[in-house]
Amino acid sequence: MADQTPSDQGDRSGQAGQDRPVRVFLLDDHEVVRQGIRALLEQSGGIEVVGESGSAHEATSRIPALRPDVAVLDARLPDGSGIEVCRAVRAVDPGIKALVLTSYDDDEALFAAIMAGAAGYVLKQIRGQDLVGAVRSVAMGHSLIDPALTARVLDRVRTGSATVPELAELTEQELKLLALIAEGLTNRQIGERVHLAEKTVKNYVSSILAKLGLERRTQAAVLASRLLGPGAGSPRD
C-alpha cells in the first residue's frame, strides 16, 4: 500500500475511529514483523496503515509528512531508537500519538519514553488483539502508561533537579509541570491532571520557559529528557 497524505488538518484524536479509520505508521527494522502487524491491524477493521519504515532516520521525516493518528515505534533500531523518533516527531506535531514497542521491561527506556511524550509503552509479547486495542485507545487520546510509573518519573525529576544546575531555579510545582510538558500534554490536559485552571498552567509554563531561557515548550521537553538521569535520551532497548 502506498503512503497516503491526510486531507484533514484539524485535531485528529476526536475523529479517529469514529467517522474515518485510525491512521497508523509502522516503524520496525524487521519487514516480516511490519507485515504481521499491518495484517493484524488492518484485518481488525477501522484501522489503516498509511506508511511504514525500517529506519529511524527515514521515519523521522516521513511520519510528520503523513500525519498518522498513531505511530507504532520499535524501541531499538540499527540507526537509532523509536523513542528518539517519538521525541523528534512530537516536537514537530504533538498531535501524533506514539506507541513504543520493546522486547524488555527496562526502567531506563520507560523513563525515556515518558519524557519523550509517548502515549503507550508495551512489550512485544503483547497479544495481537491487545495491541489492536492499544492502538485504538492511544488514537482516542488515552494514555496506556500506568500513573504509578509516571509518578516514579516525577520522583526522578525531583531527585534529579538537585544535581542538575539548569533546573535548580524551578519550584516543586514547576518541576512537576515540566515532566507533564515532556509527556506531550497540552495546558488543558495538564490542568486536568493537576487540578489547575488552564490559564494558571499557561502562567506556570511561561515561568518555566523564562527560567530555562527557552522560547517554546518543545524545547523544554527536549531539555528535560537530555538532563534528567543517565539513559533518558539513549534507551538500552
Side-chain angles (χ1 to χ4, degrees):
M1 179 183 299
D3 290 348
Q4 303 172 29
T5 302
S7 58
D8 59 297
Q9 298 296 319
D11 179 13
R12 301 184 294 283
S13 64
Q15 299 174 357
Q18 295 181 7
D19 57 3
R20 65 172 177 77
V22 175
R23 296 166 50 82
V24 175
F25 186 97
L26 302 177
L27 171 60
D28 194 294
D29 60 313
H30 295 100
E31 182 180 3
V32 67
V33 173
R34 296 199 308 271
Q35 290 178 347
I37 296 177
R38 174 191 283 270
L40 173 71
L41 296 178
E42 293 189 334
Q43 289 173 8
S44 70
I47 297 178
E48 179 183 12
V49 176
V50 296
E52 62 179 67
S53 176
S55 161
H57 177 74
E58 181 182 54
T60 299
S61 61
R62 292 179 62 198
I63 293 174
L66 290 168
R67 299 183 74 239
D69 300 300
V70 181
V72 179
L73 309 172
D74 187 10
R76 184 170 58 188
L77 299 153
D79 64 337
S81 79
I83 294 173
E84 293 167 351
V85 174
C86 171
R87 182 181 301 114
V89 166
R90 287 182 55 77
V92 175
D93 186 347
I96 298 174
K97 310 300 190 302
L99 183 62
V100 176
L101 289 178
T102 180
S103 300
Y104 303 99
D105 187 6
D106 187 317
D107 279 355
E108 293 293 342
L110 173 60
F111 175 83
I114 293 175
M115 294 303 292
Y121 182 90
V122 297
L123 296 178
K124 286 188 175 180
Q125 293 89 329
I126 188 173
R127 295 174 54 189
Q129 289 307 307
D130 290 338
L131 178 58
V132 172
V135 169
R136 294 186 191 283
S137 181
V138 166
M140 296 304 296
H142 303 301
S143 173
L144 297 184
I145 296 177
D146 191 323
L149 299 178
T150 301
R152 198 162 75 198
V153 169
L154 292 176
D155 288 340
R156 182 164 175 174
V157 169
R158 287 189 284 267
T159 302
S161 67
T163 57
V164 179
E166 291 89 338
L167 303 181
E169 292 188 17
L170 300 187
T171 66
E172 181 84 1
Q173 182 76 306
E174 288 171 340
L175 285 169
K176 183 175 183 179
L177 267 60
L178 176 61
L180 297 177
I181 289 172
E183 282 189 49
L185 301 184
T186 64
N187 287 348
R188 178 177 297 180
Q189 291 170 327
I190 291 174
E192 293 172 352
R193 182 79 66 89
V194 298
H195 308 294
L196 290 175
E198 184 176 356
K199 183 176 180 180
T200 301
V201 174
K202 182 178 180 181
N203 291 336
Y204 270 117
V205 172
S206 296
S207 175
I208 292 170
L209 295 179
K211 289 182 178 181
L212 295 177
L214 303 174
E215 296 180 357
R216 299 188 301 275
R217 61 193 296 134
T218 51
Q219 293 175 315
V222 172
L223 177 67
S225 64
R226 179 173 63 83
L227 292 178
L228 297 171
S234 55
R236 293 192 294 269
D237 178 303

